[in-house]
Amino acid sequence: MKNIVIGRYIPGNSFLYSLDPRTKILALLILMIGVFVIDHIMHMVYAIAIIFLVLLLGKISIKRIYLGLRPLLFLLIFTFTFQIIFNRHGELLFEETLYYSPVSIALAAAIGIFWFFTKRFIKFRLLYFLMTLLAIGTVLSLTLFPGTFATGRFAVYEEGLFMALFIMLRLIIIVTLSTMLTMTTKPTDLNLGLEQILAPLKILRINAEEIAMIISISLRYIPTLLDEANKIMLAQASRGVDFEEGKMKEKVVQIVSLLVPMFIISFKRSDDLANAMEARSFAPGRPRTRLHVLTWKRLDSCVLALSFLLLVTAILSRVLL
Amino acid sequence: MAIKFERVSFQYTSMDNKGYLALADINLSINKTGEFITLIGETGSGKSTLAQHMNALLQPTEGRVHIFGITVDDKTKKQRKIKLNPIRKQVGLVFQFPEYQLFEETVEKDIMFGPKNFGVSTEEAAKRAEKMIEVVGLDASYLKRSPFNLSGGEKKRVSIAGILAMEPEILILDEPTSGLDPIGRNALLDVFYNIHTELDKTVIIITHDMNTVYEYAKRVMVMREGVLVYDGDPVALFSKSNIDRWNLDVPDILGLTRDLEAKFDYKFTEPPRSRKALFKALEGMLK
């Protein structure tokens, strides 16, 4: 649980770190809109090239970004295959007839099961998964086996392939951009920036300060709660709760034995926190001064202008090309 | 030998991958019966971590722990060959904060939870709950109450009863008397001492109270920054002149006897370790 990369601040120094959080949030919004405006795969490739350039300038290691993308790998693969199989527009690139017979299906299933049980011993899991898929496809395309009861068609079309790549690139860009924001901005700064950006919502009677306070308190208590959960699990384990093994019925009791103390401790904690805040005269909605005041620098204006320029370029490229 | 530590080290992994060494090269052994051990040391010295190794809640990152014939090392959990759960029936560990374990609707159910996890029948568990609630100094009327409406001290007693009901061979208590009033504290300490003398079980108590150490313990272990700096007789420990380097304090009784000896120029043949013993010794002195 301690290796979550998404949303984690990693200390460093580069221009990305010295930017005002407001700039970073606004730039992220602008660039995201830009990414959604782009509708051609070549433009998407340019966009990702620009992102790479920013990563280089911002001294952020690609490996970190990859680690951030890893939890999304399944989603990426899923959308990719979905597009390839079901999008049937444009030129036909590849076609293969599949023969379903009892033997070939059994063999394909056997390969799948073999993959399932051996995957934990293989280092390059993604590669191994793709190889398994390829093997299953090959088995199904063979005509050797008797008793074919149905045939299917596996075809890849130009549009499908492009669309698949396009959506994948878009997802990668969006995740990379947001990872860049959270990685280079402390949660407190992020919160302060968000609060000031949302401040105009006061006209709609939405108190941005309160929302920001709620967000910052929840963020603050995530590690505490994880720590607490760990302690509860140890305490229950010493009473014979085996959190790793156990049947379904036991699992329910295990979870209850974890959740009930968790809830009670959280309520108690929030009560204490409310009292502590009140003891220091905290009153929501009152004007307050800040320890850290955000300062807008020339670099911020430059970055914001550049982001705007990129958005305009994206719009122009869509309209004109 | 019920519990044996062989060169045990334990490192907590932290966010920035710089480990924090909570235990460093610990060697010790604890008998199944006849021991009354106190574990002392300042906060953060690794007492609780050490205790959690004694029932395999934590596994050493280096070295081995032998618990009732089962060897636990850094690979034990990965290999999944050895079930660690039965160890926790034999070595009962009561945590410092009862809030971390109370969850059932009634006190009775909560006390029955541990034994039932280890395969004790419901009737037998209920019987034990009835017995144990008395042992920890509450009466049977508490059994039907909700554990969340109890005072801090009562919660503590219920959580101790929950472990006692498992009938462990060895009982470990992490600061069992913190947050209790003096009378309740002494009563509970007597309970542990009775468990030790009557059932001849080994009891290990983590404490900050030097009086407990001096009055009850046959053996004391001192932790300091993850290192076991002392393991032996309490009298010998407190007769050392420089115990304040481990942030320890002299027990009240010992301070008093030392003052008496200095004032009346008298030497007790055997330094008294409790108030009762002191009075007896004073009688001897006055004669």
Side-chain angles (χ1 to χ4, degrees):
Chain A
M1 258 192 269
K2 286 189 173 163
N3 297 319
I4 303 164
V5 177
I6 294 183
R8 234 182 79 185
Y9 172 73
I10 293 157
N13 60 333
S14 72
F15 84 97
L16 281 173
Y17 285 89
S18 51
L19 277 178
D20 190 301
R22 286 171 291 182
T23 316
K24 282 188 265 189
I25 296 169
L26 288 176
L28 174 72
L29 270 176
I30 294 169
L31 291 178
M32 276 212 189
I33 296 169
V35 170
F36 276 96
V37 166
I38 293 172
D39 67 342
H40 195 274
I41 181 144
M42 265 335 274
H43 299 163
M44 208 52 125
V45 173
Y46 294 145
I48 210 158
I50 293 170
I51 300 279
F52 257 104
L53 196 68
V54 176
L55 283 180
L56 267 175
L57 286 174
K59 293 184 203 160
I60 291 174
S61 74
I62 309 287
K63 200 184 149 208
R64 287 260 180 225
I65 299 287
Y66 167 72
L67 285 176
L69 279 169
R70 216 162 51 172
L72 293 169
L73 218 54
F74 176 74
L75 188 70
L76 287 176
I77 291 171
F78 182 76
T79 46
F80 191 82
T81 17
F82 196 82
Q83 281 295 330
I84 281 203
I85 292 173
F86 293 104
N87 196 329
R88 308 206 147 164
H89 298 286
E91 226 173 292
L92 183 68
L93 290 179
F94 175 81
E95 188 179 26
E96 189 66 58
T97 319
L98 303 177
Y99 303 92
Y100 301 118
S101 71
V103 181
S104 67
I105 286 182
L107 212 57
I111 293 172
I113 291 167
F114 181 75
W115 166 78
F116 185 77
F117 283 108
T118 52
K119 66 175 174 180
R120 72 182 78 162
F121 305 112
I122 305 288
K123 212 173 172 192
F124 302 100
R125 281 192 197 176
L126 183 62
L127 198 66
Y128 189 51
F129 177 69
L130 291 177
M131 274 166 61
T132 310
L133 280 188
L134 191 69
I136 291 175
T138 319
V139 164
L140 287 176
S141 67
L142 291 176
T143 50
L144 295 168
F145 311 111
T148 306
F149 55 81
T151 55
R153 192 162 149 271
F154 177 71
V156 176
Y157 291 86
E158 194 188 4
E159 190 93 335
L161 187 65
F162 278 161
M163 217 39 208
L165 280 173
F166 181 76
I167 290 175
M168 213 169 87
L169 285 180
R170 185 189 270 171
L171 264 175
I172 288 176
I173 290 177
I174 289 169
V175 174
T176 309
L177 281 174
S178 1
T179 314
M180 263 159 70
L181 172 70
T182 51
M183 208 193 262
T184 60
T185 321
K186 284 184 200 136
T188 44
D189 285 344
L190 197 63
N191 202 41
L192 190 56
L194 207 62
E195 184 187 319
Q196 301 205 347
I197 286 172
L198 293 178
L201 287 179
K202 226 180 261 170
I203 306 162
L204 300 171
R205 300 208 167 188
I206 297 170
N207 192 341
E209 206 174 296
E210 259 173 53
I211 297 171
M213 177 67 79
I214 291 166
I215 295 172
S216 73
I217 289 176
S218 353
L219 284 178
R220 158 68 186 76
Y221 275 98
I222 289 172
T224 313
L225 284 180
L226 283 178
D227 193 45
E228 220 107 75
N230 193 27
K231 276 185 187 157
I232 295 169
M233 276 161 83
L234 285 179
Q236 301 298 23
S238 79
R239 292 209 291 170
V241 178
D242 199 335
F243 282 96
E244 266 135 47
E245 288 146 38
K247 297 178 204 86
M248 200 57 209
K249 201 185 139 202
E250 290 165 17
K251 280 261 188 293
V252 176
V253 181
Q254 288 170 11
I255 290 169
V256 171
S257 77
L258 171 66
L259 281 186
V260 174
M262 196 82 189
F263 264 105
I264 289 182
I265 289 172
S266 313
F267 278 120
K268 172 114 182 32
R269 222 170 242 296
S270 54
D271 235 16
D272 289 348
L273 182 69
N275 282 337
M277 284 166 81
E278 225 164 70
R280 286 188 259 174
S281 293
F282 174 83
R286 291 278 178 76
R288 284 185 292 141
T289 52
R290 303 225 163 258
L291 181 59
H292 301 287
V293 181
L294 298 178
T295 47
W296 192 269
K297 291 187 278 286
R298 193 178 292 162
L299 182 66
D300 294 297
S301 310
C302 289
V303 167
L304 215 54
L306 214 67
S307 312
F308 250 116
L309 202 68
L310 284 172
L311 176 61
V312 172
T313 320
I315 294 171
L316 285 180
S317 75
R318 178 161 186 163
V319 176
L320 299 178
L321 299 177
Chain B
M1 212 55 64
I3 300 177
K4 192 169 163 63
F5 279 56
E6 266 177 45
R7 302 192 64 95
V8 169
S9 294
F10 182 75
Q11 200 162 25
Y12 278 109
T13 44
S14 59
M15 278 290 206
D16 48 2
N17 291 328
K18 275 180 223 147
Y20 170 73
L21 199 63
L23 295 180
D25 199 16
I26 297 216
N27 294 290
L28 60 90
S29 51
I30 293 163
N31 288 326
K32 189 185 162 191
T33 55
E35 295 223 55
F36 199 94
I37 304 171
T38 48
L39 182 52
I40 53 178
E42 42 191 334
T43 22
S45 59
K47 302 185 298 287
S48 295
T49 310
L50 183 68
Q52 286 170 21
H53 276 80
M54 290 179 185
N55 73 344
L57 283 178
L58 295 177
Q59 294 85 33
T61 46
E62 258 174 75
R64 279 186 299 275
V65 184
H66 306 280
I67 311 165
F68 286 101
I70 297 172
T71 303
V72 180
D73 59 20
D74 58 329
K75 291 177 198 75
T76 308
K77 204 156 190 185
K78 264 189 206 156
Q79 288 170 341
R80 286 173 166 241
K81 274 182 201 153
I82 304 161
K83 290 217 168 192
L84 297 176
N85 214 20
I87 295 175
R88 285 147 201 169
K89 196 219 160 291
Q90 288 178 300
V91 184
L93 172 62
V94 181
F95 273 71
Q96 186 178 358
F97 299 106
E99 289 83 9
Y100 288 131
Q101 67 173 64
L102 302 176
F103 78 99
E104 292 275 21
E105 301 141 60
T106 64
V107 167
E108 183 181 30
K109 276 191 187 174
D110 214 283
I111 298 175
M112 285 161 65
F113 181 67
K116 277 168 80 179
N117 278 332
F118 292 112
V120 173
S121 70
T122 311
E123 297 84 54
E124 170 66 17
K127 231 182 264 170
R128 287 190 193 176
E130 221 168 294
K131 188 178 150 207
M132 291 311 165
I133 197 84
E134 307 257 345
V135 167
V136 294
L138 300 174
D139 57 68
S141 69
Y142 278 89
L143 287 175
K144 295 292 165 215
R145 287 176 62 177
S146 161
F148 305 112
N149 293 335
L150 303 176
S151 72
E154 289 166 340
K155 276 185 194 166
K156 193 124 208 177
R157 286 156 196 261
V158 170
S159 73
I160 292 166
I163 300 291
L164 286 178
M166 285 160 31
E167 299 190 341
E169 303 286 335
I170 291 179
L171 183 63
I172 306 171
L173 303 123
D174 195 344
E175 298 194 27
T177 52
S178 67
L180 289 181
D181 54 85
I183 293 169
R185 189 185 65 202
N186 290 339
L188 214 51
L189 282 171
D190 284 333
V191 168
F192 304 141
Y193 198 69
N194 285 343
I195 290 169
H196 163 65
T197 48
E198 282 163 25
L199 305 173
D200 201 25
K201 284 184 181 177
T202 288
V203 175
I204 302 165
I205 296 178
I206 298 178
T207 185
H208 284 292
D209 181 27
M210 298 303 144
N211 297 326
T212 309
V213 176
Y214 199 59
E215 196 175 332
Y216 293 94
K218 292 182 179 165
R219 177 176 165 191
V220 59
M221 297 186 209
V222 183
M223 292 290 293
R224 167 114 178 124
E225 287 170 2
V227 182
L228 186 66
V229 288
Y230 183 89
D231 180 2
D233 182 39
V235 178
L237 170 72
F238 291 115
S239 61
K240 281 176 189 269
S241 56
N242 52 354
I243 54 165
D244 47 333
R245 76 192 148 124
W246 295 331
N247 278 359
L248 300 180
D249 195 9
V250 172
D252 295 344
I253 293 285
L254 185 62
L256 189 61
T257 46
R258 277 183 188 164
D259 285 352
L260 283 171
E261 284 178 338
K263 178 105 182 160
F264 297 106
D265 196 23
Y266 180 83
K267 191 91 188 129
F268 289 110
T269 40
E270 194 186 329
R273 288 169 66 174
S274 66
R275 201 178 300 183
K276 237 188 231 166
L278 177 65
F279 288 155
K280 216 169 208 177
L282 279 178
E283 272 173 20
M285 182 180 139
L286 291 172
K287 271 173 202 166

